[in-house]
Structure formats: structure tokens, C-alpha cells
Amino acid sequence: MDLQNLPSILTPDWGLLFWMLLAFLVIFFFLAKYGFPAITKMVEERKAYIDDSLRKAHEANEKLANIQQEGETLLKEARERQAQILSEAASTRDAIVEQAQVKAREEGARIISEAKAQIEAEKQSAISDIRKQVAELSVTVAEKILRERLSGDADQMKYVDKLLDELSSNSK
């Protein structure tokens, strides 16, 4: 068999090449006219959508960071306020305790002074009663002694003279 006369699979005919080139140019023309702009438009839209999504994600991250920072600020302010309230409560408690102690001291001093005054009054009353009783007893005893010693008129006159002499000597 003659291999040179057989059409080669690897080398196409010039007519076939022409028609293939013509079909390729027609398809390329239609693709360039209608297909590529649609594809390019879809790629641009997709790119714009992705860019917009990235921008929104970046904004959301910034907002989240701001919210987190605001939350930390609010938490810090709340802690400071809590510390301030606790400090005020402690100072108020100390003031109330101090005031109660002062009132208790004043009340104690008042009660003690009243008790001392009452004791002194009772002491004076008791001393007065004792003096009164001693005076009554003394008068009674003296009366009984004098009655017994001065049973007669002569004895009474002697005793009166003696008393007058004592009084006159004491007044000089």
C-alpha cells in the first residue's frame, strides 16, 4: 500500500482549514459581539458585589470594635461608679456609727450626772434625817439627864447660872 497517497491525519487539507477558520471567525465574531460583553458585565457585577461585601464586612468589623470599646468604657464607668457608691456608703456608715457613739456617750454622761445628782440629793436627805433624829435624840437624852440632875429648884438655879457664865465667857 502506498502511504504517500493516503491523506495524512496530521496534516489537514487546505479547504478544511479554510472552512474551520471561517467557522472560528464567525463564532469569534458572535462571541465578541454578544458573549464577551455579557461575560465581562457579569464578571464586573460579581467583582462589584464582592467589593461591596468586603466593604460592608470591614464596616461591620469597625462597628463591632467600636461597640466592644464602648462596652469596655461602660463597664469601666460602672466599676468606677460602684467603687464611688461603696466609698460613699462606707463614709456614711462611719458617720452614722460615729454619730451614734457620740449620742451614746452624751446619753451615758447625762444618765451618770442625773444619777450622781439623785445620789447627792438622797445623801443630803439622809444626812438631814440623821441630823434631825440625832437632834431629837440629843434633846430627849438631855431632857432626861437634866430632869434627873435638876430635880430641885436650887439645882436648876445653879445650872442656869453656870450656863450664863459660860455664855458670857464665850461671847467675850
Side-chain angles (χ1 to χ4, degrees), residues 39-53:
I39 292 171
T40 306
K41 181 181 175 191
M42 285 193 313
V43 168
E44 289 296 323
E45 287 174 357
R46 181 70 179 166
K47 182 181 179 278
Y49 176 76
I50 290 172
D51 288 343
D52 188 48
S53 296

Side-chain angles (χ1 to χ4, degrees), residues 7-152:
S8 171
I9 298 178
L10 296 177
T11 56
D13 220 5
W14 284 104
L16 182 62
L17 276 176
F18 171 75
W19 287 113
M20 285 176 62
L21 181 64
L22 184 63
F24 175 76
L25 289 175
V26 168
I27 290 174
F28 185 76
F29 172 76
F30 281 112
L31 281 176
K33 180 88 172 163
Y34 301 108
F36 291 146
I39 292 171
T40 306
K41 181 181 175 191
M42 285 193 313
V43 168
E44 289 296 323
E45 287 174 357
R46 181 70 179 166
K47 182 181 179 278
Y49 176 76
I50 290 172
D51 288 343
D52 188 48
S53 296
L54 287 174
R55 182 184 52 78
K56 287 180 181 178
H58 183 67
E59 289 174 359
N61 281 338
E62 287 178 356
K63 286 181 182 179
L64 181 62
N66 288 341
I67 289 171
Q68 190 176 19
Q69 186 177 11
E70 288 175 9
E72 290 173 0
T73 303
L74 288 174
L75 186 60
K76 181 180 176 185
E77 289 174 0
R79 286 183 182 146
E80 289 173 357
R81 182 70 179 139
Q82 178 187 17
Q84 180 184 6
I85 289 171
L86 288 175
S87 174
E88 289 174 0
S91 64
T92 302
R93 178 200 65 216
D94 292 342
I96 290 172
V97 167
E98 181 66 28
Q99 187 178 17
Q101 288 175 344
V102 167
K103 282 186 178 181
R105 284 188 206 113
E106 290 173 355
E107 185 67 18
R110 184 187 63 79
I111 289 171
I112 289 172
S113 68
E114 286 177 1
K116 284 181 180 179
Q118 186 178 2
I119 289 170
E120 185 63 30
E122 288 177 9
K123 178 181 164 186
Q124 293 300 325
S125 173
I127 289 173
S128 174
D129 285 345
I130 290 172
R131 283 185 182 163
K132 186 176 176 183
Q133 288 176 1
V134 166
E136 287 177 3
L137 283 174
S138 296
V139 168
T140 304
V141 169
E143 183 181 325
K144 284 184 181 183
I145 290 173
L146 284 176
R147 278 190 187 163
E148 189 178 308
R149 281 180 95 201
L150 303 173
S151 52

